Amino acid sequence: MMSKPMSEADAWPAGARAGEASLRALALRSGDWYWETDAVLRLTILHGGPSAAEAAFSQWIGRRDWEIPGELLRPSTWQEHKQRLEARLPFSDLVVRRPLVGEGAAVQQLCGVPIFDPAGQFTGYAGIGRDITEQTRTQDALRDLASIDPLTLLLNRKAFDESAQQVLSDAYARGHQCALLCIGLDRFRVLNSVYGHRVGDRVLAAVAARLREVVRPPNLLGRRGGDEIVALLVDVVNSDLVDAVARDVTEAIARSERLGNIEVSVRASVGVGFFPKDGGDLDALFNAGDAALLRAKEAGGGTQALFTPELARRTELRVLLEQRFRKAYESRDFRLFYQPLVSLPEGRLVGAEALLRWKDAELGDISPGEFIPIAEESGLIEGVGEWVLREACRQRQLWRQIGLDLPPIAINVSGVQMRNPGFVEFVLLTLDEFAVAAEELEIEITETGLIDASAVSQENLRRLRDAGIKAALDDFGVGYSSLAHLRDLPMHRLKIDRSFTIECMQNGRTNSIVQAVIEMAHKLDMTVTAEGVETAKQKDWMHTLGCDSAQGFLFARPMPAEEFLGSFLEDRARQVQRA
Ligand code: C2E
Ligand code: MG
Ligand code: MG
């Protein structure tokens, strides 16, 4: 068997027919085959070899290698091989894929040496052939294993990056433009936590299959981890085309997926960055695509966004914010402010909402509207939520210890926390630790936090109610505003969002809707609070519509615990006076 390729020194000296004989014997023993050509390179002998090749071999006699049907795998052109033959050089690595008669195809590796007669006259080539089909199959499989993501069958991160580098440097050399599409599944985290990772995986695989229909070679498709799917469009002549592809991608994904007995709806956002305009190398291009993706997600998802330089600044700010927030989180560098809830129309203090505050040494006060989403995305929200609950309970215990009986305090809870099966247990243990009664605490959860109202969050809501802890549906009117939520979820309070409070007085339709919602809530035994009341007019209006209580700058802004205590004492003094 020829285990090592022949070097040029292996060429037989003129007339060395003895070597030819041993070559032939060697081939026969190993299952390889021996071959010879005449002086014009036509095959004259094919001897031995696998039985599957026998029928094909008989048809090859009299032909030159390049005249036999098949595909040349190595070297890259027949021209290259022919030059070697014309120079009468030995060759060791000619690889061709050839159809066998009725037996599929075989990959064959051939090596050969020139033969000269005793007079030094060239008489042809002789050599050995070997079937390497299995070996190449294994090599291909190994290569696939190293470069293909097994779940989605897209290029994995490493392979995508390598191919993309190559595409970009070719494009750069030729002055061409490329486009990177960063594709993200909207609410994929939620999907994973609601239905489990197995469902998440199946959705990803289905999405990838649809993407392969839309983005075809030579364009690249890869998975860079999680739900991060990327496409690189090669040689983009017209930016409008990219827009069309981005739209095709969102449309291809926006379908619902039936997985067993559950129906999961998926939507994608796409961020687009152009090479070299938005990013001069792969990393910069990824940053541009990611920033645009974030923009598309912020716009509500299910849509596409192009990169702009303004986005770059925002992304930088967000990255900075996340870094600073992590630091603040480590030292729990937070405070809780309290905003009163007053009864309508009397204006008595009937509760308070605890609102998280974070002041960064350099960036100053940052609103929870900005950092809560960061906490949710970076996985810190559970820890933040724990701190909020403990801090509220600790404060409550202090007030109790000095003999004060304040109305209930509401804390905001993220949807991520609500989907944790251990959430209620943790709340009850904390109440116990600080000797706070269930009636002293209320939990606010936004509708958006309850989307999909997963089995776990519903169960948690029920268990909270059974334990005597009241729940409020926060920000009603933002996002889903589902009447089914009102009907199905065990809620004690409905909080009408500030945007509705403002719009009611301006828009007749909104006013009618809000009025109907309030009526319905009352029928379901819920109490209704108007949020964001800033003017006396708004207060009267919301009262007339049927709101039982209100919260807003008109009555008080969120304030530190000591100040809130002051306003509680004042309110009590007023009540006493009135009595
Ligand atoms: P939210 O739960 O709806 O809280 C009410 C927000 O409206 C507060 O904003 C409050 O300061 C503001 N607000 C109250 N009255 C008025 C008014 O008359 N006019 C105007 N313009 N605004 C008013 P804040 O404190 O910035 O909090 C924003 C949101 O961040 C909260 O909305 C809540 O969803 C979230 N959040 C705050 N603290 C926490 C927390 O501890 N945990 C979680 N998960 N989310 C929190
Ligand atoms: Mg709230
Ligand atoms: Mg609210």
Side-chain angles (χ1 to χ4, degrees), residues 474-475 497 531:
D474 203 351
D475 297 354
D497 189 67
E531 294 191 271

